[in-house]
Amino acid sequence: MGKLVHNVQKKQHRERSQISSRARFGLLEKKKDYKLRSANFHKNQAKLKLLKEKAKSYNEDEYYHAMKNKKTNEDGILIQEREFSQSLTNDQVLLMKGQDLNYLNMISSKESKKIEKGLNNSNLFAGNGKHTVFVDDKNKFDNFKSEEYFQTEKELLGRRENRLKLDQLIKNDIDLGQDAESLEDALAYKKRELDVLKQRIQREKKLGEVRSKLQLQKELMKSGSKKKINKNGNVVFKWKNQRKR
């Protein structure tokens, strides 16, 4: 006998959303969100209970090796010293400082090359002077045309540092109209190049200061008689002359 099935759509039970009067409190918490929050809360409570039991049964006379390597600061943050920091010899420290110094020299050399390339190729510091042309009489003065005298186009008269002639323009097929329209973009690009160059110069200066300090530390760790001298408010070291055998 066939089974009678009522093809009736069941009612969908949907969770309600946040009411408009409480929209400032954000989305309404659903049951799945509550379950996650509740599980996390009970997990933290269990941890606190275990820590309280450990603190209650703590023995002040108890000793363990982590007491020497670990400590907490005033804010209760754990500070752990490196295990091998006390076992390094003077020669090992000198070797590490030498490696750091070589790395700084390599980075500083790269920055110097980039700065030199930027100064040579970007033409940031081009001259802004003017040409003075002398003529014989007033007629030539009234009919004087700069583009004819310099054999170039009007758009390139202001480019004193890179003023191409007509034969060069024809040979290179340069679009002067586009160059004149993008003058503001060219100036903005030039300013960005100048900012990048300024940052590179500052970075190279900071690298030089770090290199000098690291070099001084390396020299102070070497053997030899030396004394500290206050010279114009700066502390300098002077080594005693020794005869080399």
Side-chain angles (χ1 to χ4, degrees):
M1 183 177 177
K3 186 177 181 181
L4 181 61
V5 178
H6 296 283
N7 190 11
V8 180
Q9 185 177 5
K10 294 184 180 180
K11 183 179 179 180
Q12 294 183 0
H13 298 276
R14 299 177 180 176
E15 297 188 30
R16 65 187 180 91
S17 60
Q18 185 71 279
I19 58 178
S20 58
S21 60
R22 294 177 55 86
R24 63 183 183 278
F25 297 113
L27 298 176
L28 184 65
E29 186 182 40
K30 303 298 189 292
K31 185 175 180 179
K32 60 180 181 179
D33 303 326
Y34 165 75
K35 290 173 67 176
L36 293 174
R37 185 169 60 85
S38 177
N40 184 50
F41 173 77
H42 290 296
K43 182 180 179 181
N44 293 336
Q45 290 296 319
K47 284 184 179 180
L48 289 174
K49 184 178 180 181
L50 180 61
L51 291 175
K52 288 180 181 179
E53 292 294 332
K54 284 186 176 182
K56 187 183 297 184
S57 59
Y58 173 72
N59 183 9
E60 295 182 356
D61 298 330
E62 185 180 0
Y63 172 81
Y64 51 95
H65 294 285
M67 289 180 176
K68 296 180 64 177
N69 301 329
K70 296 182 180 180
K71 59 183 179 179
T72 56
N73 57 9
E74 298 177 354
D75 299 329
I77 299 176
L78 182 64
I79 300 175
Q80 184 175 4
E81 298 180 356
R82 293 184 298 180
E83 296 179 358
F84 58 87
S85 60
Q86 302 297 332
S87 60
L88 291 178
T89 62
N90 190 43
D91 294 337
Q92 291 174 335
V93 176
L94 278 174
L95 179 60
M96 293 175 63
K97 289 186 179 296
Q99 292 175 349
D100 296 340
L101 193 59
N102 292 335
Y103 175 75
L104 289 175
N105 290 332
M106 180 187 66
I107 299 298
S108 180
S109 177
K110 288 184 177 180
E111 290 294 334
S112 300
K113 290 181 180 179
K114 291 179 180 179
I115 291 173
E116 184 179 359
K117 183 179 179 181
L119 291 174
N120 293 336
N121 298 338
S122 60
N123 200 19
L124 293 173
F125 305 103
N128 56 357
K130 297 180 180 180
H131 281 104
T132 302
V133 180
F134 297 92
V135 294
D136 297 334
D137 51 21
K138 189 175 184 304
N139 186 23
K140 290 184 178 180
F141 177 79
D142 295 336
N143 298 326
F144 180 80
K145 293 183 179 180
S146 302
E147 59 273 14
E148 293 181 0
Y149 179 82
F150 293 109
Q151 298 180 7
T152 185
E153 293 289 341
K154 291 183 179 181
E155 291 82 358
L156 298 180
L157 289 175
R159 299 174 61 177
R160 178 175 177 266
E161 70 280 356
N162 188 18
R163 186 187 297 127
L164 301 179
K165 294 186 177 181
L166 290 175
D167 54 351
Q168 294 174 325
L169 294 174
I170 295 173
K171 182 178 179 180
N172 297 331
D173 192 19
I174 298 177
D175 187 4
L176 293 178
Q178 184 179 359
D179 184 71
E181 292 176 358
S182 60
L183 180 59
E184 294 183 359
D185 296 338
L187 292 175
Y189 177 75
K190 199 170 185 179
K191 184 179 182 302
R192 287 196 298 270
E193 281 190 337
L194 183 61
D195 293 338
V196 172
L197 186 61
K198 182 179 178 181
Q199 293 175 3
R200 292 193 185 280
I201 293 174
Q202 292 177 353
R203 192 181 301 121
E204 186 192 22
K205 182 179 178 182
K206 292 180 181 179
L207 285 172
E209 294 175 356
V210 176
R211 284 166 50 201
S212 61
K213 291 181 180 179
L214 192 59
Q215 183 67 35
L216 178 61
Q217 293 176 4
K218 186 179 177 182
E219 295 297 330
L220 290 175
M221 293 181 66
K222 294 180 181 179
S223 59
S225 178
K226 50 189 171 293
K227 62 180 180 179
K228 186 186 296 185
I229 301 176
N230 189 351
K231 187 176 182 180
N232 298 328
N234 298 324
V235 178
V236 295
F237 292 87
K238 185 175 181 180
W239 276 260
K240 184 179 179 179
N241 294 330
Q242 294 181 356
R243 179 180 295 177
K244 294 183 179 181
R245 297 180 181 178

